[in-house]
Amino acid sequence: MNYLDSLYWIHERTKFGIKPGVKRMEWMLERLGNPQHRINAIHIGGTNGKGSTVAYMREALMKNDYQVGTFTSPYIETFNERISLNGIPITNDEIVALVERVKPVSEAMDKETELGVATEFEIITTMMYLYFGAVHPVDFVIVEAGLGVKNDSTNVIQPLISILTSIGLDHTDILGQTYLDIAKDKSAIIKANTPIVYAIKNEEALKLFRDTAERLNAKALEFDRDILIKSEGDEFTYRYKDYELENLALHMLGEHQKENASLVITALIELYEQNVINLDFNKMIDGIEQAYWTGRIEQVSEEPLIIIDGAHNKESVDALVDTIEKYYDLEKVDVLFAAIEGKPIHHMLDAFQNIAKHIYVTGFDFPKALPKQTLYDEVEFGNKSIVDDFVAFIREYKGEALLITGSLYFISEIKSKIAFNA
């Protein structure tokens, strides 16, 4: 197989949809020698903020001279970035080699068992565990959960530590309709006798996490209880136990990013105190302050100002609007919006009321992308329009400021078609 053949085989798995559960993962990984048990994993889950949290952790560890693997989804610019080594996507040849090992195992599972065919995400996750557990071992692997945690393909590891960034109402058709339902799923990130660092606002969800951690004897490190931050404009002060770090200034903007960074700092301190890592605090801070994640409040053009952000649910859109209001000297912005099925579209669009000059809606090439007319009908805002060709619209935009958002898949599509010169 060549690289394109390999990608075709992987992407063809999308027709099998989403299949909750880890039995197929466990079967395939056992056939491959259980490589997932040979990695030093840091498991990161949450409704929002997983990608930037991965970036903070990766940069902090790399600054301390560790080799770091990452597993993230979805990809923004290239498929290979989902499995990266020290922030660099693995090569096309490595993708081919992994497929050549995983493909026969997947096909054997379909023929020899009643478990069915592996999904696309299961195949990619298996490839990642094989790569870091057998092909190219590293010091640490940061594993970002996909959909939820309990039945997510990544949930076959015993991590060194886990981080739960947030709980929000997303993927409610699969995870449940309430914060408590979603918390029950995501609480599966808590493993027995393993530290868990988390930031949860909802009281019911918070109680569930506390009770679960106590039952499993998992050290629970909680934002706003054990972990405190004091925001001071662009900077913030971090406090945990006897540790105090002042004047922290992140490259990634937003109050939510200060929260995400604080979770990572706490997890690193915990690993340091357990003698799992050697930690130079100055290098850690340098890495966290410099961390960057594409598609998150990313300024891709200066004149005119164009910002792209992959906000894809109510909580992330609220955080995006808050960041635009606090960090950009703008009276109003034009919004270009596209989204996929299963999202709280009305609430997402409604959040732009205070900052939008004009809301433009469009569609994009993705199986679950919502039709333009459906989005248009949901906009309760006087100045609204349908954009048929979003590439031409962006290239010809002459306004003061354009915010492009609604879906990480939409951002990925834009990145693949437009070469910005920020």
Side-chain angles (χ1 to χ4, degrees):
M1 299 179 74
N2 60 31
Y3 178 67
L4 292 179
D5 292 334
S6 298
L7 287 191
Y8 177 80
W9 180 76
I10 293 170
H11 292 325
E12 191 183 27
R13 310 293 96 193
T14 58
K15 67 186 178 185
F16 300 113
I18 297 171
K19 298 179 181 180
V22 296
K23 292 187 180 300
R24 286 174 300 278
M25 286 295 302
E26 291 172 340
W27 194 94
M28 290 189 292
L29 288 167
E30 184 175 2
R31 284 293 185 96
L32 291 164
N34 283 318
Q36 78 278 15
H37 297 326
R38 297 195 294 274
I39 67 172
N40 291 319
I42 298 166
H43 205 187
I44 296 179
T47 303
N48 297 304
K50 295 191 296 290
S52 53
T53 302
V54 168
Y56 291 130
M57 180 65 75
R58 180 193 65 206
E59 294 303 313
L61 287 171
M62 284 175 57
K63 284 288 186 181
N64 277 275
D65 300 321
Y66 288 108
Q67 297 286 305
V68 184
T70 53
F71 180 63
T72 56
S73 61
Y75 71 89
I76 301 299
E77 295 179 333
T78 173
F79 174 83
N80 300 27
E81 74 192 45
R82 300 184 72 162
I83 305 173
S84 293
L85 174 60
N86 294 331
I88 300 173
I90 64 174
T91 67
N92 292 355
D93 288 344
E94 287 173 314
I95 291 287
V96 172
L98 290 170
V99 168
E100 287 176 341
R101 292 181 63 176
V102 173
K103 184 172 182 284
V105 174
S106 171
E107 292 173 345
M109 180 175 68
D110 186 31
K111 292 176 182 177
E112 299 173 17
T113 76
E114 296 181 355
L115 295 172
V117 182
T119 67
E120 179 188 41
F121 191 70
E122 289 170 339
I123 292 296
I124 299 166
T125 309
T126 302
M127 289 167 57
M128 177 272 296
Y129 283 134
L130 179 62
Y131 184 75
F132 292 123
V135 177
H136 199 303
V138 293
D139 297 313
F140 299 98
V141 183
I142 309 168
V143 179
E144 178 191 332
L147 200 163
V149 175
K150 182 179 180 181
N151 295 304
D152 187 67
S153 301
T154 65
N155 197 31
V156 291
I157 49 175
Q158 176 57 50
L160 299 170
I161 197 166
S162 300
I163 299 175
L164 195 288
T165 60
S166 63
I167 288 180
L169 297 178
D170 198 7
H171 300 295
T172 53
D173 54 330
I174 297 172
L175 301 181
Q177 298 294 320
T178 69
Y179 284 100
L180 185 58
D181 288 336
I182 294 173
K184 288 177 181 177
D185 181 285
K186 293 187 186 293
S187 67
I189 201 169
I190 306 174
K191 302 297 190 292
N193 307 306
T194 303
I196 172 71
V197 188
Y198 57 92
I200 300 174
K201 306 297 191 296
N202 179 269
E203 286 298 324
E204 280 190 309
L206 189 57
K207 183 179 186 306
L208 176 73
F209 254 69
R210 289 171 176 171
D211 291 346
T212 304
E214 183 177 1
R215 176 171 54 83
L216 294 175
N217 192 37
K219 185 175 182 178
L221 304 174
E222 186 178 303
F223 184 80
D224 270 347
R225 184 189 68 183
D226 308 293
I227 309 159
L228 301 173
I229 65 172
K230 181 180 179 182
S231 190
E232 300 152 336
D234 293 348
E235 299 180 345
F236 70 103
T237 296
Y238 163 93
R239 294 187 181 93
Y240 168 61
K241 295 200 296 190
D242 293 331
Y243 298 94
E244 181 172 284
L245 304 174
E246 297 181 312
N247 306 123
L248 300 179
L250 306 175
H251 177 84
M252 290 191 273
L253 301 177
E255 295 303 305
H256 59 298
Q257 294 296 359
K258 298 174 183 177
E259 183 175 303
N260 294 335
S262 74
L263 299 181
V264 169
I265 294 170
T266 307
L268 289 166
I269 290 174
E270 184 64 23
L271 293 175
Y272 167 72
E273 291 192 339
Q274 291 182 2
N275 295 316
V276 175
I277 60 173
N278 295 314
L279 189 64
D280 181 314
F281 277 65
N282 289 327
K283 291 179 179 179
M284 173 187 71
I285 292 169
D286 285 345
I288 286 174
E289 288 188 329
Q290 295 168 18
Y292 169 83
W293 197 245
T294 188
R296 272 67 167 188
I297 315 286
E298 182 181 359
Q299 184 174 318
V300 293
S301 172
E302 189 172 345
E303 292 185 3
L305 177 65
I306 300 178
I307 298 166
I308 61 175
D309 188 273
H312 55 279
N313 52 49
K314 184 182 184 303
E315 289 83 3
S316 58
V317 169
D318 286 343
L320 169 60
V321 170
D322 180 69
T323 303
I324 295 296
E325 290 179 321
K326 287 183 177 178
Y327 290 86
Y328 287 88
D329 185 23
L330 297 167
E331 188 173 334
K332 296 287 182 180
V333 299
D334 293 318
V335 177
L336 176 62
F337 185 90
I340 64 173
E341 296 172 359
K343 300 295 181 178
I345 303 303
H346 180 81
H347 295 293
M348 292 169 69
L349 287 164
D350 190 57
F352 295 114
Q353 294 275 359
N354 290 336
I355 67 167
K357 179 180 180 181
H358 197 115
I359 295 180
Y360 300 88
V361 297
T362 191
F364 63 106
D365 186 19
F366 187 74
K368 297 197 298 179
L370 285 167
K372 299 185 286 285
Q373 189 62 51
T374 299
L375 295 175
Y376 182 83
D377 292 342
E378 288 289 342
V379 179
E380 294 182 353
F381 190 75
N383 297 325
K384 61 178 183 177
S385 303
I386 291 176
V387 170
D388 292 319
D389 184 346
F390 67 82
V391 173
F393 174 82
I394 294 169
R395 286 176 174 163
E396 297 167 7
Y397 180 74
K398 302 298 183 185
E400 180 186 0
L402 177 64
L403 173 61
I404 306 172
T405 189
S407 168
L408 283 166
Y409 296 102
F410 180 40
I411 297 305
S412 178
E413 179 83 359
I414 288 171
K415 286 265 194 173
S416 70
K417 294 185 175 181
I418 301 176
F420 292 101
N421 295 309

